[in-house]
Amino acid sequence: MPTLTADPCVSCAQHRAKSLVRLGISTDKWDYLIALAGNPNVGKSTVFNELTGLRQHTGNWPGKTVVRAEGAFVHEGKRAKVVDLPGTYSLLAGSADEEIARDFVLFGRPDVTVVVVDASRLERNLNLVLQILEITDRVVVFLNLVDEARRHGIAVDPVKLERELGVPVVQGIAREGVGIDDLLSAAHEVALRTDAVTAVRAEQYTAEVEAALDHLVPEIHNAFPDTPNARWVALRLLNADEAVEGAVHSGELGQLAHDESGALVEITAAEVRHRVLKKATSLRWGLPSNFQDVVTRRAYQVAEQISQRVQVRGLKKVGIAFDQKMDEWLTSRIFGFPLMLLILAVVFWITIEGANVPSSMLATLLIDNGHSALKGLAIGMGVPWWLDGLLLDGVYLATAWVVAVMLPPMAIFFPLFTLLEDFGYLPRVAFNLDSLFRKAGAHGKQALTMCMGFGCNAAGVVATRVIDSPRERLVAIITNNFSLCNGRWPTQILIATIFIGALAPSQLGGLVSAGAVVGIALLGIMMMFLSSWILSQTVLRGEATSFSLELPPYRPPRVWQTLYTSIIDRTLIVLWRAVIFAVPAGALIWLISNISLNDLSLAHHAVSWLDPVGLLLGMNGVILVAYVVAIPANEIVIPTVLMLTVLTGGFAMGEGSGVMFELDSVGATGDLLRAGGWTLLTGVNLMLFSLLHNPCSTTIYTIYKETRSTKWTAVATLMPLAVGLTVCFLVAQIWRLVAG
Amino acid sequence: MGLDTPKSMLGSRNEEPGGELRLGDIPLSQTVELVRIDLPSEGAEPLLERGVLPGCQICPVRSSPTGDPIVSVDGSLLALRRETADCLCVRLLSDAS
Ligand SMILES: Nc1nc2c(ncn2[C@@H]2O[C@H](COP(=O)(O)OP(=O)(O)OP(=O)(O)O)[C@@H](O)[C@H]2O)c(=O)[nH]1
Ligand SMILES: [Mg+2]
């Protein structure tokens, strides 16, 4: 058995650099096309990143990748384009993400399909390999996660497996770059190979099925001349597969084969398409109704036999006890929920405590010193007051505030969250919450999309592709906004620290604020259950479908890599987005504060016009105006609130007339807000409203793209807003009743 | 895979002597062999794809905060719903050997 310790000479970066040039995403022209397919959570995206040098998100749970990613590299003078696909258990895809994988493998015409398989779960992974071998010989099997298999006491002989399958098998540990070179050469060879090989064929059909296929395949070729894998299509039609019938019926099948080139093909004439379907139906009558079952059962047997022949089981297990202990606690009947809350609270607590100091340092630097220095400079240069106001008091201040308020909590929260994700905790959360979701008539995987929503609701909406039932997917999309997203965390944390943490003795302030934020997040989860339940009882009536979720093994997170990717990819990207929206918002705020109508600025008019409504809702006019300004991005709510309070409240920043505020600490920000008339109720209701209002513009657009329906987009936009207005109104009325 | 026919393909429906054992009745950490999946094909398909095949060994390892079972099969952990577990007919390993 070949050893797994990498030959240091082969796996070092320098050696690879000779043959491999990573090209990132430049994919204008390529000599061959590589598809990366495989079961979920086997390391496809990790292999993709190794090959292309890109940083496609990886995560330790099935369903991390839901859209296709493309990249490129040069190997031995040939350009290769690589496509990373979502994971799929079989080519008979159920959910939207699996369909993407299936369509590409079948109709994307890859020159070589690299099937990544999990060495510790070989049998199940081989099912997909065998299905792909039914349609193409241009396959390389990458036997990944060999280290994990070893820990489980399993070893697989790649040489024997190669003999069994008839296609190249390369083993490795993608995460450490082991085996990538061999994979490269194997894929290269297969892609450029001209002669055919004999791969194993597990599916053997009876003569009568073959005869039916002989009739049907030419019809399909006739109707869709460019379609590869007409035999596969024919088999699906003989099985009355509704999705494939639909693709033939609509003519979409013809387009699938051209998605890659982007060319639009002429849709096959309707009567030709109907002839295919009619033919399939009539042929189906002549076949035994369970012909596919027999074949399928045999394919499963072949997978089982092969895996038994190539596997050595029962080696010494290492460190498995840890996994089991861990799971006993994290998904325990008694401790499961409390631990979940505790972990959440600890994450927030670290965020709140850790963000405090850098936030005030940034505020001192950018706002107090930076702003006055720039002001001084502008005055020295004789810049007209309106330009200096627009650029410095508007644009610069808004941007600086966004950075000071957003950057520190995000730079702490994201890496923590990503570490939990990489470790494998998210599916455990999904598992713990499943029965609640089921009672609400929703899909168990909605818990996963909820967790993604904690990062970004637009990402959460896209992640719903893992849900195969359209009804339940729609429920998940509409209710995703109740997951508090990263644009709103800083608002929650800041307001909780000012108004709630301040109520407690100072040593406990951080803990109390963290508790308050957890409370809001929990309220969001409860609202998600409630609204899912109401939707399932009314407009989206239906029962939850059955569900089985794979719990991935705990994988020790790669701490440095995670820190790097989450800071670079997530934090900075989100921050950048916030800044982009802050620039025009800052200009707008300054303009409405300085353009006067009847001696009062427009901002004053808007604020005082909305003030009665705001007070009714337990907030004020400033907050409502801020929410209108912040529709593009939730991130700018707090900066907008602060600026409007300063500009319309008769306060001045730094030196100057009126009250002086140095916003270099959370305490000072609190003083400003209190001077602007804020009370505990204002703070609480702002936190509630920040949780319960319309999604940001990006999310709304994503919802529209995913649902293609104005109606459901409107529901998803307005429903949370209505809930928020109602809740805030009720809280304000009750609060005032109780407080007298 | 392709279980589009209305009747279940997975094993015979004959009553076994001594009554039927369901996975839901098996105590924790007892390994049993799966005999049949009593689910329509849409329900059975995801299970088959995840390695829950007739003839495989399956073992309930834990139950969730809400009483649903986690089973270990083919080296991985699978969270099932209780109703699903009650549709899996199993037999004790000693019977088989
Ligand atoms: N121990 C170990 N972990 C690995 C290896 N390859 C990948 N991983 C980890 O496995 C997890 C899943 O990796 P991904 O690359 O996201 O898997 P994927 O196949 O793209 O998953 P989906 O997109 O959900 O289908 C990550 O936490 C990786 O760090 C390996 O060879 N050994
Ligand atoms: Mg992936």
Side-chain angles (χ1 to χ4, degrees):
Chain A
M1 169 136 301
T3 55
L4 269 175
T5 33
D7 177 351
C9 199
V10 173
S11 67
C12 81
Q14 240 170 5
H15 171 90
R16 198 179 304 152
K18 270 188 252 154
S19 56
L20 173 70
V21 185
R22 293 159 168 169
L23 292 180
I25 48 168
S26 71
T27 54
D28 37 346
K29 256 176 36 200
W30 64 89
D31 298 309
Y32 55 86
L33 179 61
I34 302 180
L36 275 171
N39 282 16
N41 203 32
V42 294
K44 297 176 295 297
S45 301
T46 312
V47 171
F48 176 84
N49 292 348
E50 283 290 327
L51 289 176
T52 58
L54 289 173
R55 287 188 307 272
Q56 169 75 0
H57 285 192
T58 63
N60 187 12
W61 50 285
K64 174 72 197 182
T65 311
V66 291
V67 291
R68 239 166 67 179
E70 302 182 349
F73 63 83
V74 170
H75 178 67
E76 291 179 359
K78 297 273 185 203
R79 266 168 178 265
K81 170 165 154 177
V82 200
V83 177
D84 181 28
L85 296 171
T88 177
Y89 288 103
S90 93
L91 288 183
L92 305 175
S95 51
D97 59 328
E98 289 183 295
E99 235 166 69
I100 292 170
R102 179 201 73 185
D103 286 346
F104 193 81
V105 169
L106 280 166
F107 306 113
R109 302 171 200 274
D111 295 296
V112 48
T113 304
V114 172
V115 189
V116 182
V117 304
D118 176 349
S120 53
R121 294 165 188 82
L122 190 61
E123 178 177 337
R124 186 164 40 120
N125 282 253
L126 280 182
N127 288 325
L128 179 68
V129 175
L130 291 175
Q131 284 182 29
I132 293 178
L133 286 178
E134 289 297 319
I135 56 170
T136 170
D137 298 331
R138 294 191 177 273
V139 170
V140 176
V141 171
F142 185 64
L143 192 60
N144 192 27
L145 291 150
V146 189
D147 55 335
E148 199 168 275
R150 226 5 116 64
R151 285 208 308 135
H152 285 83
I154 300 169
V156 178
D157 185 341
V159 181
K160 269 195 198 159
L161 183 59
E162 180 163 324
R163 255 198 320 263
E164 294 280 348
L165 294 176
V167 293
V169 174
V170 177
Q171 67 170 350
I173 305 168
R175 206 156 102 142
E176 284 153 33
V178 178
I180 299 295
D181 289 307
D182 295 341
L183 175 63
L184 264 178
S185 343
H188 188 81
E189 209 167 293
V190 171
L192 302 176
R193 183 180 68 200
T194 45
D195 52 330
V197 297
T198 38
V200 61
R201 288 282 161 94
E203 299 185 2
Q204 284 169 9
Y205 292 91
T206 54
E208 52 186 336
V209 177
E210 290 293 345
L213 286 172
D214 285 344
H215 278 100
L216 193 53
V217 168
E219 288 286 345
I220 294 170
H221 272 306
N222 177 34
F224 307 97
D226 301 322
T227 291
N229 298 309
R231 182 185 159 91
W232 185 90
V233 174
L235 271 169
R236 292 321 302 152
L237 290 179
L238 290 181
N239 274 297
D241 182 321
E242 280 172 24
V244 176
E245 280 175 349
V248 171
H249 182 79
S250 64
E252 186 196 327
L253 185 66
Q255 184 61 44
L256 276 177
H258 290 273
D259 274 355
E260 224 23 51
S261 60
L264 270 177
V265 291
E266 222 173 293
I267 292 189
T268 318
E271 66 266 22
V272 184
R273 286 183 269 136
H274 283 295
R275 213 169 53 224
V276 174
L277 289 177
K278 272 217 332 252
K279 184 102 187 177
T281 314
S282 74
L283 286 167
R284 190 159 59 232
W285 284 114
L287 298 175
S289 64
N290 65 342
F291 81 91
Q292 185 68 48
D293 295 350
V294 180
V295 174
T296 305
R297 189 150 23 154
R298 205 186 98 78
Y300 280 124
Q301 276 165 5
V302 172
E304 190 190 337
Q305 286 157 4
I306 294 181
S307 74
Q308 266 165 13
R309 284 199 287 265
V310 302
Q311 239 174 13
V312 184
R313 275 176 173 272
L315 303 174
K316 197 164 159 287
K317 298 187 181 182
V318 203
I320 293 305
F322 168 77
D323 285 28
Q324 280 164 3
K325 263 274 150 342
M326 207 62 203
D327 255 350
E328 256 162 51
W329 284 86
L330 291 180
T331 58
S332 132
R333 267 193 119 126
I334 305 163
F335 299 109
F337 283 127
L339 276 176
M340 208 164 75
L341 294 185
L342 189 70
I343 291 174
L344 207 62
V346 167
V347 167
F348 292 132
W349 181 70
I350 297 178
T351 310
I352 289 172
E353 289 290 320
N356 227 333
V357 174
S359 256
S360 50
M361 274 164 53
L362 279 173
T364 310
L365 182 77
L366 295 175
I367 299 171
D368 301 337
N369 301 339
H371 182 248
S372 34
L374 286 170
K375 273 295 233 203
L377 204 70
I379 291 169
M381 289 183 351
V383 176
W385 71 271
W386 54 268
L387 186 62
D388 141 29
L390 183 68
L391 289 183
L392 295 180
D393 300 340
V395 173
Y396 177 81
L397 263 191
T399 316
W401 253 319
V402 163
V403 174
V405 172
M406 299 278 304
L407 182 59
M410 276 188 341
I412 299 173
F413 178 75
F414 274 164
L416 288 177
F417 187 80
T418 317
L419 283 177
L420 278 181
E421 179 183 343
D422 224 21
F423 180 61
Y425 187 55
L426 292 197
R428 269 82 188 173
V429 172
F431 176 68
N432 285 342
L433 293 178
D434 168 50
S435 80
L436 292 173
F437 275 107
R438 175 182 26 174
K439 289 209 181 83
H443 198 283
K445 283 187 190 162
Q446 187 173 332
L448 286 174
T449 64
M450 177 189 88
C451 290
M452 293 307 289
F454 285 144
C456 166
N457 293 128
V461 168
V462 177
T464 61
R465 293 184 183 185
V466 299
I467 297 173
D468 45 14
S469 135
R471 183 192 74 85
E472 283 145 60
R473 182 166 172 215
L474 210 46
V475 171
I477 290 179
I478 293 173
T479 59
N480 192 270
N481 195 48
F482 291 124
S483 279
L484 205 55
C485 71
N486 65 58
R488 296 180 274 170
W489 289 119
T491 308
Q492 298 288 347
I493 290 173
L494 183 75
I495 300 297
T497 312
I498 292 175
F499 289 98
I500 297 175
L503 297 178
S506 64
Q507 328 73 290
L508 292 178
L511 271 182
V512 172
S513 323
V517 179
V518 171
I520 291 285
L522 279 185
L523 179 71
I525 297 177
M526 266 148 56
M527 292 310 297
M528 189 182 278
F529 286 134
L530 187 67
S531 52
S532 300
W533 183 76
I534 292 174
L535 285 170
S536 299
Q537 296 296 315
T538 53
V539 278
L540 287 168
R541 198 188 301 268
E543 294 280 311
T545 50
S546 84
F547 143 96
S548 53
L549 179 73
E550 214 187 323
L551 296 181
Y554 291 105
R555 292 178 177 152
R558 285 168 304 169
V559 177
W560 292 115
Q561 205 126 345
T562 305
L563 288 183
Y564 177 81
T565 19
S566 54
I567 288 180
I568 298 298
D569 287 2
R570 286 196 171 182
T571 311
L572 291 188
I573 286 176
V574 173
L575 187 69
W576 178 236
R577 184 183 103 103
V579 166
I580 287 179
F581 285 115
V583 167
L588 178 73
I589 295 164
W590 188 85
L591 284 176
I592 59 172
S593 310
N594 283 280
I595 296 175
S596 299
L597 197 74
N598 302 333
D599 278 347
L600 269 181
S601 70
L602 289 180
H604 262 115
H605 280 298
V607 167
S608 48
W609 185 62
L610 282 172
D611 238 359
V613 187
L615 287 177
L616 211 57
L617 296 171
M619 294 182 280
N620 55 39
V622 166
I623 298 179
L624 294 187
V625 173
Y627 267 98
V628 175
V629 175
I631 287 176
N634 283 298
E635 290 86 335
I636 57 178
V637 165
I638 283 294
T640 311
V641 163
L642 292 177
M643 288 180 71
L644 283 175
T645 308
V646 170
L647 292 170
T648 63
F651 313 113
M653 282 294 305
E655 317 280 318
S657 58
V659 195
M660 198 177 83
F661 279 99
E662 301 251 324
L663 294 181
D664 55 358
S665 71
V666 171
T669 311
D671 292 341
L672 168 69
L673 292 178
R674 285 195 197 93
W678 288 48
T679 61
L680 179 59
L681 172 65
T682 323
V684 168
N685 270 10
L686 173 56
M687 286 173 77
L688 288 172
F689 194 66
S690 152
L691 172 73
L692 309 169
H693 72 283
N694 52 285
C696 71
S697 58
T698 313
T699 307
I700 297 176
Y701 177 62
T702 311
I703 293 172
Y704 179 72
K705 270 202 314 200
E706 294 292 314
T707 60
R708 288 269 151 231
S709 149
T710 333
K711 177 180 146 202
W712 293 120
T713 310
V715 170
T717 307
L718 298 177
M719 190 267 294
L721 184 63
V723 170
L725 294 176
T726 316
V727 167
C728 286
F729 175 77
L730 290 178
V731 168
Q733 300 316 309
I734 294 169
W735 188 293
R736 284 177 185 138
L737 263 181
V738 172
Chain B
M1 302 196 47
L3 307 174
D4 296 310
T5 47
K7 60 178 191 291
S8 168
M9 69 164 216
L10 303 158
S12 63
R13 281 203 182 256
N14 300 337
E15 283 288 315
E16 280 179 25
E20 298 228 299
L21 262 183
R22 303 283 169 157
L23 186 63
D25 311 328
I26 302 296
L28 294 186
S29 48
Q30 177 171 5
T31 306
V32 290
E33 184 186 315
L34 182 64
V35 178
R36 185 179 77 229
I37 302 177
D38 276 348
L39 280 172
S41 44
E42 313 88 70
E45 212 168 287
L47 291 175
L48 296 172
E49 288 172 355
R50 286 161 178 77
V52 182
L53 297 161
C56 73
Q57 298 199 347
I58 189 165
C59 172
V61 286
R62 216 168 320 109
S63 56
S64 77
T66 48
D68 292 307
I70 301 184
V71 301
S72 141
V73 60
D74 188 23
S76 55
L77 291 177
L78 213 58
L80 300 178
R81 282 180 172 169
R82 208 166 358 185
E83 307 89 271
T84 317
D86 287 336
C87 295
L88 302 184
C89 288
V90 296
R91 78 165 154 244
L92 300 178
L93 280 180
S94 51
D95 294 9
S97 56

